[in-house]
Amino acid sequence: MTALETAFPAGLVSAAAERESWRKEVHRPATHTHKWWAQRLGSVFRGILAASVAENEQDAAECYSNALRLEDLVVCDPFAGSGTTLAEAAKLGARVVGRDINPVATLVQRQALAQWDLARLDSAYKQVESRVRRDIDELHRDKHGRTVLYYFWVALAQCPHCPPSSPPVELFSRYIFAQHAYPKKHPSGKATCPHCHAVEIVNVVEDRQIKCGSCGRISSLTGPVNRAVMTCQQGHETKVLDSLGDQPPKMRMYAKQVLSDDGSRRYEPIDDFDIALYAKAERLLTEQSEHLVLPIGTLDDGYNTRQAIRWNYREWKHFFNARQLYSMGLLGSAIRDLEPSPEREALTALFSGVLEFNNLFCSFKGEGTGAVRHMFSNHVLKPERTPLEAHPWGTPASSGAFSTLYQSRILRAWEYKQKPHDLVPVNGESERVFGLSKPLSLELGNAEDLQQRRSSAYVRCGSSASFDLPDNSVDLVITDPPFMDNVHYSELADFFHAWLRQIKPFDEYPTEAGTTRHSEEVQSADAGEFGRAIAAVWKECARILKPTGLLAFTFHQARIAGWIELVKALEAAGLVITAVQPVKAEMSTSTIKSSAANPSNLDSIVVCRLTDQATPALPATASGVRERAVTALRECLDAGITVGYADVESVIRGSVLALHTRPDCAASLEELSIDAEGEVVKAAGELNVESKKLSREAGRS
């Protein structure tokens, strides 16, 4: 038995993970060169790896906090995502196998591990800069030649009750378009006049009206849109969606932020020069489109795409205005034409990441913070009524630009790869420590290269229900599988794929495929479908796992049906759950979590062995596993980690249902499900954790 099964240092690992969660891109930059969803914490997976080779909790803590080498182990991640498992295992010297069914995820994993030559990387960057920067800069300047950092746009809609010649409704909820992130401390903001679009200074806390210094009119700061309903000048109320017709909403520029010669920023209204410059971009796009890299493809219906389709965004090119298409098209073509190399691939990933900040689904975050709110601040493709257009190449004062993200993502990742750091306990606090891990600079090979030790990493895009690896060839399978929910990564990843397929980042990238969706991807809100898909992967993992090997994965599921299907899938694959350990999950303040009735903050580490090798560390009764889980949850609490009711539910349910995988278990899943709900209530009481839902109901009564 290992410490991962008997004595996982949940408090120590969770404390480090808590600190990492606030700035994941700083503490683990190698796995954050590009957007991927639900990116897990490197500290957690370092902890899992350390505990999997340790004998007791003290040994596990020492392995985690000191230099550890796993040169003799092969570690496989069948749901590799952004590559967290691969990077953490490679840092410890293990040979790694990564598989993901989505090619965008595979691109991110490859960047986490790939060997980049800094001189060649800088040379490739300068080649791109010399080819496109001047042209992009020329399209982002004002009549005085100053750089325009951001253009402010508003969507338009035609009132169906008014004559077609009537002016369109500008879809503002309010006319304040720029304010500080902390308005009580910094109440001065900028508003646009609804009549002439002059920019006026207002007090965002106190003012309810705007008096325009240009046209002299006094107007309410409240715009014509309230939630989903707009009101035209004649007083007609209409749902915004009913007024759009059959096309994406038309847009109008109304303001810009320029960078003055002294480095200050100024907000100014749009003038004739700006309008003519945008018309030039439209003309250039038409004239040069056949030479540019441009998005190809249409949106397919799905949970995450449905809202965009309802707004008539049916093609990926609809997500960009003409200047964005032309600028990004120039940039993409320059990268496409570079000689194939790991450095070209890194710049391709960078280009793809810049798309996230340069489209019509972005908005302005305000002063005192990064200016661009990227399009995936929600886990759906949410249309924006007042989008922000940024400068794609950018300046040091820009947010989300190619030049700035080159510094903050690619060069930061390169530096980290040369000299990785880890968060470990120092004088009672989790501190950044260097020298515990090997450099992350690997030659990527194929399955044979890995077996013959000619390569330390094998990363491939494809279904994890079928590996090209021999039986009994992997020591550890460590992963973070998709949860049974509605966030379908492929539906969102298609936004990037529509551009990447024109560039072909690496040889196996599926350029002919119009979507990254796949019939074998493990992602479904339907419990049965989820169970069938993940069972096929667990069966394959059992095949490649050595007889003495471990399978461990992080999991969180609010619905007990998800845990039931997971347990059934593991049983079908010939695996026994030997332990369930709580640990800090991803950042607890994410939009999805904070909006939940009982937001989660912990994952469960589910540890499994092959049936004929398993000696369950879990007690044999529901009450026994509850007592063990409460002890581990209390350790998290003692480390300063928030434990909510949803965390208690998930950990206790998983622990009780895990008993069903034991060969000696006589209880049915239905019986264990009933037991689990009773144990949840007991555990919550012991930990003094109350459901927010129950609290609200008690308050109403």
Side-chain angles (χ1 to χ4, degrees):
M1 302 294 285
T2 66
L4 185 58
E5 297 162 285
T6 60
F8 180 71
L12 179 150
V13 173
S14 294
E18 176 81 11
R19 180 175 175 187
E20 180 188 339
S21 71
W22 292 98
R23 292 297 303 276
K24 291 188 282 188
E25 76 285 359
V26 171
H27 294 297
R28 292 297 194 276
T31 51
H32 287 79
T33 57
H34 188 284
K35 174 69 179 181
W36 194 251
W37 294 268
Q39 289 179 297
R40 285 332 204 207
L41 300 167
S43 301
V44 169
F45 284 82
R46 178 182 176 87
I48 293 173
L49 288 161
S52 69
V53 296
E55 294 183 356
N56 54 57
E57 186 167 4
Q58 181 178 352
D59 190 20
E62 291 178 355
C63 287
Y64 176 86
S65 304
N66 295 280
L68 175 66
R69 294 294 175 259
L70 306 178
E71 275 86 355
D72 295 330
L73 300 186
V74 175
V75 178
C76 175
D77 188 343
F79 301 104
S82 63
T84 299
T85 298
L86 309 182
E88 295 304 313
K91 282 163 52 182
L92 300 177
R95 287 176 289 151
V96 296
V97 180
R99 182 70 62 89
D100 202 286
I101 205 164
N102 195 291
V104 178
T106 302
L107 174 64
V108 184
Q109 296 152 30
R110 290 170 62 92
Q111 305 325 297
L113 303 175
Q115 190 175 62
W116 299 333
D117 180 275
L118 184 59
R120 288 197 291 266
L121 184 63
D122 192 52
S123 175
Y125 175 84
K126 289 178 178 177
Q127 287 183 58
V128 173
E129 182 178 23
S130 65
R131 181 167 161 181
V132 307
R133 180 176 180 177
R134 181 176 177 180
D135 291 337
I136 295 174
D137 280 344
E138 282 295 306
L139 291 174
H140 298 80
R141 60 186 178 88
D142 71 354
K143 61 186 177 184
H144 304 294
R146 299 173 300 178
T147 297
V148 178
L149 296 175
Y150 308 108
Y151 292 100
F152 295 84
W153 293 74
V154 61
L156 308 175
Q158 199 69 40
C159 175
H161 306 292
C162 292
S165 58
S166 300
V169 178
E170 296 181 338
L171 301 180
F172 286 105
S173 294
R174 64 175 190 161
Y175 292 109
I176 297 173
F177 67 91
Q179 66 180 59
H180 199 276
Y182 300 97
K184 291 184 178 180
K185 292 184 178 180
H186 306 276
S188 179
K190 306 296 186 299
T192 181
C193 173
H195 305 290
C196 70
H197 285 315
V199 175
E200 296 293 335
I201 298 175
V202 296
N203 185 308
V204 301
V205 177
E206 298 178 358
D207 291 349
R208 297 293 178 266
Q209 292 181 322
I210 174 176
K211 182 177 181 180
C212 181
S214 295
C215 69
R217 301 178 71 171
I218 298 176
S219 310
S220 170
L221 284 172
T222 301
V225 176
N226 182 13
R227 296 182 180 272
V229 176
M230 72 175 196
T231 304
C232 76
Q233 293 181 3
Q234 302 304 315
H236 302 131
E237 292 187 354
T238 312
K239 285 189 176 180
V240 172
L241 285 178
D242 294 340
S243 65
L244 294 179
D246 197 41
Q247 296 294 323
K250 294 180 180 180
M251 298 282 177
R252 175 179 291 161
M253 280 188 295
Y254 65 91
K256 59 183 180 283
Q257 186 190 84
V258 299
L259 187 64
S260 299
D261 294 338
D262 62 1
S264 63
R265 303 169 188 239
R266 295 177 58 88
Y267 293 92
E268 298 180 357
I270 294 298
D271 56 30
D272 290 342
F273 179 88
D274 301 315
I275 295 171
L277 191 63
Y278 184 79
K280 178 182 177 181
E282 291 179 307
R283 185 172 66 255
L284 290 171
L285 176 63
T286 300
E287 294 171 353
Q288 301 182 29
S289 60
E290 64 182 49
H291 305 295
L292 304 174
V293 166
L294 295 171
I296 295 177
T298 59
L299 281 71
D300 295 325
D301 182 57
Y303 178 84
N304 301 295
T305 59
R306 201 160 293 144
Q307 190 171 2
I309 293 172
R310 287 168 58 205
W311 280 69
N312 303 316
Y313 291 97
R314 299 190 181 95
E315 299 180 51
W316 292 112
K317 67 181 181 182
H318 291 159
F319 281 56
F320 307 86
N321 69 31
R323 181 162 41 208
Q324 290 171 329
L325 285 172
Y326 180 71
S327 299
M328 296 305 297
L330 278 177
L331 190 50
S333 63
I335 295 170
R336 175 197 61 196
D337 297 341
L338 293 171
E339 289 295 319
S341 67
E343 294 74 29
R344 174 190 182 271
E345 188 175 327
L347 292 185
T348 302
L350 172 62
F351 164 80
S352 183
V354 173
L355 293 168
E356 184 183 356
F357 297 89
N358 291 271
N359 60 77
L360 293 175
F361 284 48
C362 296
S363 58
F364 190 52
K365 290 171 69 176
E367 303 290 355
T369 183
V372 184
R373 180 179 290 107
H374 62 79
M375 68 179 300
F376 293 116
S377 55
N378 296 283
H379 281 317
V380 293
L381 299 172
K382 182 178 178 294
E384 178 59 48
R385 289 186 283 104
T386 53
L388 182 75
E389 178 190 359
H391 189 315
W393 185 269
T395 75
S398 295
S399 173
F402 190 82
S403 60
T404 58
L405 291 180
Y406 179 68
Q407 300 288 329
S408 64
R409 287 188 175 182
I410 300 301
L411 293 187
R412 181 185 282 165
W414 180 86
E415 291 171 357
Y416 178 85
K417 288 181 179 187
Q418 310 314 302
K419 194 176 179 181
H421 54 260
D422 294 284
L423 289 170
V424 300
V426 177
N427 298 323
E429 299 290 337
S430 296
E431 300 291 345
R432 184 184 296 185
V433 176
F434 292 87
L436 303 183
S437 299
K438 294 182 63 175
L440 264 175
S441 189
L442 309 178
E443 288 283 351
L444 305 182
N446 56 32
E448 184 179 353
D449 292 333
L450 187 85
Q451 292 297 312
Q452 299 300 320
R453 294 179 179 268
R454 295 191 296 264
S455 171
S456 297
Y458 171 38
V459 178
R460 184 177 177 184
C461 178
S463 170
S464 295
S466 179
F467 275 94
D468 51 346
L469 295 173
D471 294 355
N472 309 324
S473 59
V474 170
D475 297 279
L476 298 171
V477 175
I478 297 178
T479 190
D480 174 57
F483 299 169
M484 193 189 76
D485 56 27
N486 287 319
V487 182
H488 293 260
Y489 303 152
S490 58
E491 295 177 8
L492 303 175
D494 279 352
F495 168 80
F496 300 114
H497 178 66
W499 293 80
L500 288 171
R501 58 190 292 219
Q502 313 307 307
I503 301 177
K504 194 174 184 179
F506 51 90
D507 286 343
E508 298 82 19
Y509 195 92
T511 57
E512 299 302 316
T515 179
T516 64
R517 300 187 191 192
H518 196 286
S519 60
E520 294 183 61
E521 66 180 318
V522 180
Q523 193 88 56
S524 178
D526 179 88
E529 290 182 10
F530 169 78
R532 284 187 291 273
I534 204 167
V537 176
W538 295 146
K539 183 176 181 180
E540 182 68 353
C541 290
R543 179 187 70 80
I544 63 176
L545 196 62
K546 291 180 179 179
T548 57
L550 286 176
L551 182 151
F553 58 92
T554 52
F555 195 71
H556 190 107
Q557 182 53 246
R559 295 163 57 190
I560 196 168
W563 275 107
I564 290 173
E565 291 299 330
L566 184 74
V567 166
K568 290 163 63 176
L570 290 168
E571 283 186 298
L575 293 161
V576 172
I577 299 175
T578 59
V580 178
Q581 310 282 11
V583 73
K584 175 78 177 82
E586 63 177 319
M587 189 172 180
S588 53
T589 56
S590 67
T591 301
I592 299 300
K593 289 189 173 184
S594 61
S595 63
N598 293 294
S600 60
N601 192 40
L602 299 179
D603 281 339
S604 295
I605 304 171
V606 182
V607 191
C608 307
R609 287 186 184 270
L610 298 171
T611 302
D612 57 358
Q613 298 289 325
T615 303
L618 287 170
T621 65
S623 60
V625 296
R626 183 250 304 157
E627 291 174 3
R628 189 174 189 271
V630 166
T631 299
L633 288 167
R634 189 168 280 122
E635 185 177 339
C636 292
L637 282 168
D638 292 342
I641 307 302
T642 300
V643 177
Y645 193 85
D647 300 316
V648 176
E649 276 186 318
S650 187
V651 172
I652 300 297
R653 284 171 174 174
S655 299
V656 174
L657 292 172
L659 295 173
H660 198 265
T661 65
R662 295 173 58 121
D664 60 351
C665 180
S668 67
L669 276 172
E670 291 75 13
E671 291 170 330
L672 289 174
S673 297
I674 296 171
D675 291 342
E677 297 312 290
E679 300 301 331
V680 165
V681 175
K682 293 177 184 177
E686 291 170 4
L687 294 165
N688 197 27
V689 173
E690 189 175 10
S691 166
K692 287 186 178 180
K693 180 180 178 182
L694 293 175
S695 297
R696 287 198 301 270
E697 290 175 351
R700 285 196 296 269
S701 64

